[in-house]
Amino acid sequence: MRAEAQTLVDHIQQSLGLLRRHLDWDHALRRLDELNAAAEHPGLWDEPQKAQALMRERQQIEDQVKSVRGLEQMLNDSVELIAMGEEEGDESIVSDAEATLKALRDDIGKREIETLLSGEADKNDCFLEVHSGAGGTESQDWTEMLARMYLRYAEAHGYKTETIEVHSGEEAGLKSATFQIKGHNAYGWLKTESGVHRLVRISPFDSNARRHTSFASVWVYPVIDDTIDIDVNESDCRIDTYRASGAGGQHVNTTDSAVRITHIPSGIVVQCQMERSQHKNRATAWTMLRARLYEAELQRREEAASTINAQKTEIGWGHQIRSYVLQPYQMVKDLRTGVETSDTGGVLDGKIDSFLEAALAQRVHGKGEGVPAEG
């Protein structure tokens, strides 16, 4: 086997070993046997909630085991093809098998990153808010560009999205918007996007074609289910109703159906306006508030557990996490990890995976990867 192919095989075998250790392979197989036996019990569905939890755990472990076994089979098949091609002197077989190994290496690399998604709420759906900073139309246009970026990212990864609130700008863009992003590990992947995003470009709204700097903030927090108990005292909250200002149905601007809840002790504010029914908007707003309070608790725990205070990620309006420069040159750079790319068009079209992976690794390991993105 050629040296390059052998290096690939060694790298893949090492990564497969890491995946097995993360899964705790022997324990996973034993647990899967237990869950399969429990699934066959005739009284399983006497307690539907317990049964659903069991079936979810079973499916998750089964998928993980099948995934590792499938990767191992692909590796073995490729090694056999290379041996056969070399024995027969068929370079095309060897080249095809080496290409498969390279693709397999990249696939396993992404799966290794996914093993970092082990936080308490990482597997959950999430809410994602974008808010414009100072600067009027410029910042509002930038906010709309960011919202589109995340919606395109969600679409590319098979996530479903639901618009919760949209507050349009007077001339263009968005003052704010909130979306629910639904899919496995949605919060885990997007949680590091919270912070301030800066855009530098020649303004399309400036007749003198001057360069402008705009800011927008992003906030990501997990959707929580009934198994997580968050106690909210209604006496600590102020509830306001108002007329919605964005799209949402023919009656949206004629009734006070939009709901804003302010949690006074924490200062957290949530709002929902996309339903015609005030009752439905109120219910969604309460769900968002519980989720925000839960996220704040997760953040508090993370900071308390951090032993590298100088490197921990802060979340807030004053913390810039990424810079997007469109003029005089093209570059998107993450200020936490050093990851950068000149493919600004791709990033704004939702190709942000390299930034998410590096920020996630930094959050878990306490250091940035420092590897430039392609482009």
Side-chain angles (χ1 to χ4, degrees):
M1 186 181 295
R2 293 190 291 224
E4 181 184 4
Q6 186 61 58
T7 300
L8 280 170
V9 170
D10 292 344
H11 180 88
I12 292 168
Q13 287 176 333
Q14 182 180 25
S15 295
L16 283 169
L18 290 172
L19 289 176
R20 275 175 165 262
R21 285 198 293 276
H22 176 79
L23 188 56
D24 193 352
W25 185 256
D26 292 338
H27 175 268
L29 294 181
R30 288 195 300 271
R31 180 60 178 159
L32 184 58
D33 287 341
E34 293 171 1
L35 293 169
N36 284 333
E40 298 297 324
H41 193 281
L44 173 68
W45 292 98
D46 291 346
E47 299 180 68
Q49 190 171 1
K50 184 177 179 180
Q52 289 172 1
L54 184 148
M55 298 303 286
R56 281 197 301 269
E57 183 185 0
R58 177 197 184 197
Q59 187 64 53
Q60 181 181 12
I61 296 176
E62 188 175 62
D63 289 347
Q64 291 172 329
V65 169
K66 283 184 178 179
S67 174
V68 172
R69 284 176 171 165
L71 293 169
E72 290 174 337
Q73 187 62 53
M74 288 177 65
L75 173 61
N76 293 334
D77 290 346
S78 297
V79 170
E80 290 177 7
L81 278 174
I82 289 175
M84 183 180 73
E86 289 178 341
E87 184 178 338
E88 297 179 359
D90 191 331
E91 178 62 26
S92 64
I93 292 178
V94 175
S95 296
D96 287 347
E98 288 180 345
T100 300
L101 285 175
K102 290 177 182 177
L104 184 58
R105 175 199 59 193
D106 295 341
D107 185 23
I108 290 180
K110 291 182 179 179
R111 292 172 192 263
E112 282 187 89
I113 291 290
E114 285 188 338
T115 64
L116 302 177
L117 299 174
S118 55
E120 188 173 330
D122 283 352
K123 67 181 183 299
N124 292 23
D125 301 342
C126 68
F127 293 109
L128 186 146
E129 298 181 11
V130 288
H131 297 270
S132 63
T137 302
E138 272 293 325
S139 291
Q140 291 163 17
D141 188 54
W142 171 223
T143 300
E144 185 170 39
M145 291 167 66
L146 273 180
R148 177 185 181 276
M149 181 182 80
Y150 290 117
L151 291 174
R152 294 302 300 272
Y153 167 82
E155 179 184 6
H157 288 77
Y159 293 142
K160 295 180 180 179
T161 59
E162 179 181 342
T163 301
I164 303 298
E165 175 266 336
V166 171
H167 191 183
S168 300
E170 285 86 357
E171 296 181 31
L174 300 172
K175 290 183 178 179
S176 67
T178 303
F179 306 98
Q180 185 173 343
I181 299 177
K182 304 176 181 180
H184 184 61
N185 286 334
Y187 176 66
W189 278 118
L190 288 167
K191 64 184 179 183
T192 58
E193 288 298 283
S194 291
V196 174
H197 298 244
R198 181 183 69 172
L199 173 70
V200 179
R201 65 171 175 175
I202 301 297
S203 171
F205 305 101
D206 188 334
S207 59
N208 294 317
R210 290 173 294 190
R211 191 170 56 176
H212 283 247
T213 300
S214 306
F215 297 91
S217 69
V218 174
W219 197 274
V220 181
Y221 48 101
V223 175
I224 58 176
D225 55 33
D226 293 337
T227 63
I228 300 173
D229 184 27
I230 301 294
D231 186 26
V232 183
N233 192 337
E234 291 194 28
S235 65
D236 289 337
C237 300
R238 185 178 69 246
I239 302 176
D240 301 305
T241 57
Y242 59 99
R243 293 189 180 183
S245 60
Q250 63 184 19
H251 300 304
V252 73
N253 292 317
T254 60
T255 60
D256 292 335
S257 60
V259 175
R260 179 187 299 111
I261 301 178
T262 303
H263 185 250
I264 297 171
S266 66
I268 291 174
V269 180
V270 297
Q271 53 192 16
C272 181
Q273 68 176 42
M274 298 313 294
E275 298 287 347
R276 296 182 185 181
S277 163
Q278 184 187 118
H279 176 74
K280 290 182 179 179
N281 285 332
R282 185 183 294 256
T284 299
W286 277 115
T287 299
M288 292 168 65
L289 177 59
R290 292 175 65 244
R292 280 286 299 272
L293 291 169
Y294 177 65
E295 193 274 343
E297 172 62 16
L298 289 180
Q299 181 68 13
R300 187 194 65 77
R301 290 184 206 167
E302 182 177 301
E303 291 179 354
S306 175
T307 58
I308 311 175
N309 290 327
Q311 294 178 329
K312 69 185 179 183
T313 300
E314 297 176 5
I315 295 180
W317 181 257
H319 183 64
Q320 294 180 33
I321 66 166
R322 193 172 304 137
S323 178
Y324 307 70
V325 181
L326 304 187
Q327 281 98 12
Y329 55 91
Q330 295 199 331
M331 182 68 67
V332 180
K333 181 173 183 177
D334 195 285
L335 306 179
R336 302 161 298 178
T337 63
V339 170
E340 60 183 41
T341 177
S342 58
D343 183 19
T344 56
V347 170
L348 293 175
D349 205 35
K351 296 178 181 178
I352 57 175
D353 298 78
S354 59
F355 298 110
L356 303 183
E357 291 169 5
L360 179 62
Q362 180 197 55
R363 192 159 178 162
V364 173
H365 299 311
K367 62 181 180 179
E369 297 298 282
V371 179
E374 293 184 0

